[in-house]
């Protein structure tokens, strides 16, 4: 389900679309589906200081960089935004490739965290902001603490973060509810002006 927030939110596609939402809502899954099904959409490859996970390809899933390299990119103003995510590693959107993709006329998608989205409001004010929401609070809790392996304190911390992140929805132009990944993905693609070929 796509919920526009106010007039014009669903009008012509913006050159840059930002997808953000609470932790564990499934942003990564939706953007992976976009990469798989909609090659017309140019998905930004973030730089990160976190090490690759098994199966992740440098330059495709992320650009894996050292701490020094990340600092250099920030100091040289080559990041459109960046943030420390989950209090650990730095993640950021390299500016040059986004500028080139927009100039080439591709619909551009950034999948980033809320702190990064807030910076894009300033660096790319014409961007459209899409909030990926869980179908319900309980479903988010289930995803966040489902395995029940965390301490009570960690569980509490995660739930507080989730509540704060959900409250950010009103800052966004449009909400997509991630009740079913294929549908949420198709709705996002439609917002970017790309229709399913099937
Ligand atoms: P993961 O380490 O699981 O791939 O990603 C963790 C989080 O980092 C996700 O919530 C994702 O949205 C966020 N993230 C990925 N790339 C960027 C980026 O370029 N900038 C910001 N601010 N967050 C990012």
């Amino acid at each position: 389900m796509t919920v526009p927030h106010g007039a014009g939110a669903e009008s012509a596609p913006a050159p840059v679309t930002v997808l953000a939402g609470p932790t564990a809502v499934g942003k990564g899954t939706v953007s992976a589906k976009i990469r798989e099904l909609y090659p017309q959409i140019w998905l930004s490859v973030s730089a990160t200081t976190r090490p690759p996970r098994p199966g992740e390809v440098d330059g495709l899933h992320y650009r894996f960089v050292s701490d020094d390299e990340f600092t250099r990119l920030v100091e040289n103003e080559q990041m459109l935004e960046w943030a420390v995510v989950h209090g650990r590693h730095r993640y950021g959107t390299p500016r040059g490739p986004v500028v080139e993709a927009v100039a080439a006329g591709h619909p551009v998608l950034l999948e980033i965290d809320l702190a990064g989205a807030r910076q894009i409001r300033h660096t790319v004010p014409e961007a459209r902001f899409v909030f990926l929401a869980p179908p319900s609070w309980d479903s988010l809790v289930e995803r966040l603490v489902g395995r029940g392996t965390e301490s009570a304190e960690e569980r509490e911390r995660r739930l507080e973060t989730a509540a704060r992140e959900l409250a950010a929805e009103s800052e966004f132009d449009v909400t997509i509810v991630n009740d079913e990944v294929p549908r949420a993905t198709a709705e996002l693609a439609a917002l970017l002006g790309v229709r399913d070929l099937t």
Side-chain angles (χ1 to χ4, degrees):
M1 185 182 45
T2 306
V3 183
H5 302 176
E10 270 200 295
S11 54
V16 172
T17 301
V18 174
L19 179 68
T23 308
V25 74
K27 282 171 295 176
T29 314
V30 168
S31 62
K33 274 270 165 235
I34 289 277
R35 185 185 291 115
E36 180 192 338
L37 299 178
Y38 301 93
Q40 313 92 308
I41 294 174
W42 188 90
L43 187 57
S44 168
V45 178
S46 300
T48 181
T49 58
R50 95 151 156 70
R53 297 187 185 124
E56 284 184 333
V57 177
D58 186 38
L60 176 66
H61 299 101
Y62 281 104
R63 185 171 146 197
F64 297 100
V65 299
S66 65
D67 262 316
D68 286 351
E69 169 76 356
F70 200 100
T71 301
R72 198 181 59 74
L73 289 167
V74 172
E75 283 177 356
N76 293 343
E77 296 183 3
Q78 288 177 40
M79 291 298 202
L80 274 182
E81 60 74 33
W82 70 273
V84 176
V85 179
H86 301 322
R88 297 192 64 195
H89 299 291
R90 288 183 288 173
Y91 296 74
T93 305
R95 181 187 298 271
V98 171
V99 171
E100 281 169 27
V102 170
H106 300 302
V108 168
L109 179 64
L110 315 181
E111 185 256 294
I112 60 180
D113 82 332
L114 287 167
R118 290 183 176 126
Q119 293 170 51
I120 296 289
R121 272 236 176 270
H122 299 286
T123 52
V124 190
E126 65 278 21
R128 175 184 275 157
F129 294 83
V130 179
F131 190 83
L132 193 66
S136 66
W137 168 252
D138 286 351
S139 68
L140 189 64
V141 171
E142 174 68 25
R143 289 188 65 141
L144 272 173
V145 296
R147 282 162 300 174
T149 47
E150 307 81 15
S151 63
E153 203 179 309
E154 170 65 14
R155 190 184 142 91
E156 201 47 44
R157 197 182 64 80
R158 289 192 187 191
L159 295 182
E160 272 173 25
T161 306
R164 208 176 40 245
E165 289 176 338
L166 275 182
E169 180 179 351
S170 59
E171 297 170 30
F172 285 71
D173 301 315
V174 185
T175 294
I176 293 180
V177 178
N178 190 19
D179 45 1
E180 290 168 30
V181 171
R183 201 173 68 223
T185 308
E187 286 178 3
L188 179 60
L191 272 180
L192 280 134
V194 175
R195 299 276 163 195
D196 228 324
L197 298 177
T198 54

